[in-house]
Amino acid sequence: MSKFLVLNPNPEDLESVLAKANLQNSKNGPFEAVLLLGNPSNSNDWKAPTIDITQPTYVASDSTELSDIKENFHRLNSTSCLKILTLKCGFTIGYLTSHVIDVALHNEILTNKHLPSVDILVTYHWPEAISSSQKLSLVGNSFIDSVVKVARPRYHFAVGSERGRFFETDSFSWKDEPNHSSTRFISLGQNGSGDKWFYAFALNEIDSMENVKGVNFFEQQPMKQLENDSTPSQSLKRPATEELDRPVAKKVQPSQCFFCLSNPKCETHMIISVGQNCYMTIAKGPLTRPGGGRGGNTAPLDFSGHAIIIPIEHIPSIRSISTSVMDTPLYQEIIKYQDSLIATFSQKAPDYRLVFFEINKLSNVHQHTQFLPVPLHAIGSFEDVLEEKTKMNNEKFVRNQSLTFQKFTNPADERLVSILNGSDHIIFTVSGERKTYYVAKLVDDKPVDLQFPRRVLASILRSPKRVYWEKCRQSKEQEVNDCETFKRFYQEGKLE
Ligand SMILES: [Zn+2]
């Protein structure tokens, strides 16, 4: 039997976490390996620990620098593909620790499935099958699903986000090897977050399949299929119990929802304005930066301008409260916010257009519309870039749902109204002499590239490295400044 300890340290507190690991090793070890989750060694001011480490310890990293940092302390460098480490005891650890996954590499690896199975898998992201079952789409990545399905780890550890989150599944088996292999998924919160941040376990040569009774998230039928599947011949094939055993996806409650004002962790320092039915906040990890937008004769803005309009009510979509979206006070207030922003910008920063964008899905956690300013000299490329990114999505990343954008300039156009009222969709609204709408219906069960709108805008703004919000995080001080500056800009604009 081999023992393991898995920790999600706060990078600022690494020394004390390692001291705790030493203590645990002497009390409950020895551990074959101590695994540190997250990417604690990524930050620029990261320093190698000074404490003596008594057991082999591995830290995940995007960095390709030196792997063996000191005795018993090693970096696991894997920027793009699954790497395998074989421990002295013979058990294998697969790791894919980068928190930015390259979709092109993703597809390349999928078509080349020579991944061996591993005992322990460490990734940054959760598999999408599990994140979507928990309505936590931001922490998941579908690439991890493919890795898990092939690598069949006995234990899979992830964090999903910088602060992480504790979540554990029961062990579940795989249909084609029901008596031989099982997987258990565990995500840990960060040390100091209040969530469970450590996990100890033991591995035997052979899996005991005794307590393996969890649901395999990767082999479940999509819920949608069940709902639509009402023909008697097909329902008869499926025993009724299977449907009953299926776990109902756990709903994210307002108290845990990023977008709910009632969430005790709600970041009030980011709120720009609160209305009757919705409110406006600056974006976390904004695509545009204060002082950006230079080029041509455009005067830079002294705030990012990337912000979000959010319904106060915890609803996945306006469609979940009305089938006549445009008649709701909520929709009208969102449009009012849009119009007052457009008016403020055209008065105070006329070198910019605003682009509003939204992925509207009934399966979302909480509806929201993002927007950001785009310099006039860049907005001209909007349609070309949208076309290029759509083509790439449809032809290169065929696992993604295919998109077809329609353009409208009349908000009352029946075809537009019918999509807004009746379908999941992606919509861009671009300000100008009049608003232009670009809408793609979401029609099938294939995954939607949730970065798509941001990918388009990052390309227009020539900021390809800013596609992922997690890579663009600001300090709290920057957020406060950014929010206060935006507030002044917006409120003065309204008063004048
Ligand atoms: Zn909410």
Side-chain angles (χ1 to χ4, degrees):
M1 187 180 74
S2 303
K3 292 178 180 177
F4 297 86
L5 179 64
V6 184
L7 308 167
N8 183 4
N10 180 334
E12 286 164 20
D13 212 16
L14 191 59
E15 296 275 333
S16 84
V17 166
L18 292 170
K20 283 176 190 156
N22 281 347
L23 183 66
Q24 283 303 314
N25 190 54
S26 64
K27 274 166 60 181
N28 300 314
F31 296 115
E32 293 295 331
V34 173
L35 303 173
L36 305 182
L37 304 183
N39 293 38
S41 74
N42 268 3
S43 103
N44 288 337
D45 44 24
W46 184 78
K47 283 189 216 77
T50 53
I51 186 175
D52 282 336
I53 297 168
T54 54
Q55 60 291 320
T57 299
Y58 300 89
V59 60
S61 170
D62 277 357
S63 163
T64 49
E65 282 164 41
L66 192 67
S67 295
D68 294 325
I69 292 166
K70 61 183 286 181
E71 196 184 352
N72 281 330
F73 196 68
H74 317 277
R75 265 185 182 174
L76 302 176
N77 311 125
S78 70
T79 45
S80 52
C81 60
L82 184 78
K83 297 210 178 136
I84 313 261
L85 171 78
T86 304
L87 299 173
K88 275 196 198 126
C89 55
F91 289 121
T92 50
I93 301 176
Y95 54 98
L96 199 152
T97 52
S98 175
H99 64 296
V100 176
I101 288 175
D102 186 317
V103 185
L105 267 162
H106 165 169
N107 289 339
E108 200 179 297
I109 294 170
L110 286 186
T111 47
N112 176 22
K113 292 188 176 177
H114 298 304
L115 300 175
S117 64
V118 298
D119 296 299
I120 302 167
L121 175 67
V122 176
T123 62
Y124 184 86
H125 291 280
W126 293 24
E128 201 170 77
I130 297 180
S131 70
S132 63
S133 78
Q134 303 303 307
K135 302 268 183 215
L136 292 169
S137 56
L138 286 177
V139 303
N141 186 300
S142 59
F143 179 40
I144 306 299
D145 299 52
S146 324
V147 172
V148 171
K149 283 190 226 170
V150 180
R152 304 268 171 108
R154 291 159 75 176
Y155 282 82
H156 175 194
F157 292 92
V159 292
S161 65
E162 200 175 300
R163 276 174 69 84
R165 163 191 299 264
F166 177 65
F167 178 77
E168 181 178 10
T169 67
D170 286 330
S171 292
F172 52 85
S173 60
W174 296 87
K175 240 186 233 160
D176 55 351
E177 300 179 293
N179 302 315
H180 294 106
S181 80
S182 72
T183 297
R184 176 186 290 265
F185 172 76
I186 298 131
S187 170
L188 295 179
Q190 196 176 67
N191 167 29
S193 67
D195 254 8
K196 177 167 173 165
W197 62 278
F198 54 88
Y199 196 97
F201 66 100
L203 279 184
N204 290 309
E205 282 301 317
I206 296 170
D207 246 350
S208 152
M209 298 297 285
E210 224 169 272
N211 292 315
V212 177
K213 46 186 177 224
V215 174
N216 186 320
F217 289 84
F218 304 89
E219 290 174 346
Q220 276 188 83
Q221 304 247 350
M223 291 293 228
K224 262 227 172 108
Q225 212 166 319
L226 263 184
E227 285 160 18
N228 299 339
D229 192 3
S230 55
T231 52
S233 62
Q234 281 179 324
S235 334
L236 281 176
K237 275 188 215 148
R238 193 179 294 126
T241 50
E242 197 183 318
E243 201 165 326
L244 291 176
D245 287 345
R246 203 176 302 278
V248 175
K250 224 200 255 165
K251 267 199 171 150
V252 175
Q253 298 301 321
S255 60
Q256 289 135 17
C257 171
F258 276 132
F259 296 118
C260 270
L261 290 171
S262 59
N263 180 348
K265 286 183 189 159
C266 175
E267 305 200 69
T268 48
H269 69 278
M270 300 176 76
I271 297 172
I272 303 163
S273 160
V274 180
Q276 294 285 318
N277 302 288
C278 54
Y279 72 103
M280 188 159 78
T281 152
I282 60 164
K284 222 173 180 43
L287 174 56
T288 42
R289 276 176 287 200
R294 286 188 190 83
N297 296 318
T298 312
L301 296 169
D302 54 356
F303 57 99
S304 137
H306 186 171
I308 317 178
I309 303 170
I310 306 165
I312 291 171
E313 193 183 343
H314 181 70
I315 47 166
S317 156
I318 306 188
R319 285 183 294 126
S320 47
I321 51 171
S322 174
T323 49
S324 180
V325 167
M326 288 166 169
D327 297 336
T328 59
L330 172 59
Y331 184 82
Q332 286 159 12
E333 195 174 314
I334 293 173
I335 299 301
K336 221 165 111 186
Y337 262 117
Q338 289 190 358
D339 290 343
S340 74
L341 286 158
I342 292 171
T344 308
F345 271 85
S346 64
Q347 190 188 0
K348 302 183 73 179
D351 292 345
Y352 291 85
R353 293 282 183 257
L354 287 176
V355 179
F356 299 85
F357 56 99
E358 177 182 336
I359 297 181
N360 189 308
K361 287 172 76 186
L362 281 176
S363 59
N364 278 349
V365 172
H366 193 141
Q367 154 134 9
H368 57 282
T369 308
Q370 302 190 47
F371 66 89
L372 47 81
V374 176
L376 268 182
H377 63 80
I379 197 72
S381 68
F382 182 86
E383 289 187 3
D384 288 343
V385 174
L386 180 62
E387 197 182 313
E388 176 205 327
K389 293 292 170 193
T390 304
K391 197 168 170 219
M392 200 187 266
N393 178 77
N394 297 355
E395 290 174 11
K396 205 161 159 206
F397 305 126
V398 290
R399 270 174 53 91
N400 288 345
Q401 174 158 173
S402 184
L403 302 171
T404 308
F405 280 90
Q406 291 177 266
K407 177 180 173 181
F408 299 97
T409 48
N410 175 6
D413 190 307
E414 271 173 29
R415 290 165 301 166
L416 173 63
V417 172
S418 133
I419 295 173
L420 298 188
N421 280 337
S423 307
D424 286 352
H425 58 270
I426 297 179
I427 181 167
F428 293 91
T429 305
V430 181
S431 77
E433 302 226 324
R434 60 200 297 189
K435 289 188 207 164
T436 311
Y437 309 87
Y438 302 85
V439 189
K441 254 199 221 184
L442 301 173
V443 283
D444 60 27
D445 280 341
K446 278 183 160 183
V448 176
D449 173 11
L450 297 176
Q451 305 302 330
F452 185 83
R454 187 160 171 148
R455 216 181 283 291
V456 169
L457 287 156
S459 173
I460 289 169
L461 293 162
R462 298 180 189 275
S463 311
K465 289 193 176 142
R466 296 183 72 81
V467 167
Y468 297 92
W469 70 273
E470 284 145 310
K471 285 262 175 183
C472 307
R473 278 173 189 270
Q474 307 187 99
S475 66
K476 186 168 177 186
E477 197 188 337
Q478 286 170 321
E479 287 172 349
V480 169
N481 278 336
D482 202 24
C483 183
E484 289 307 313
T485 316
F486 198 152
K487 242 191 231 173
R488 275 198 301 278
F489 173 87
Y490 181 57
Q491 278 158 6
E492 283 166 13
K494 275 204 311 191
L495 291 175
E496 275 164 23

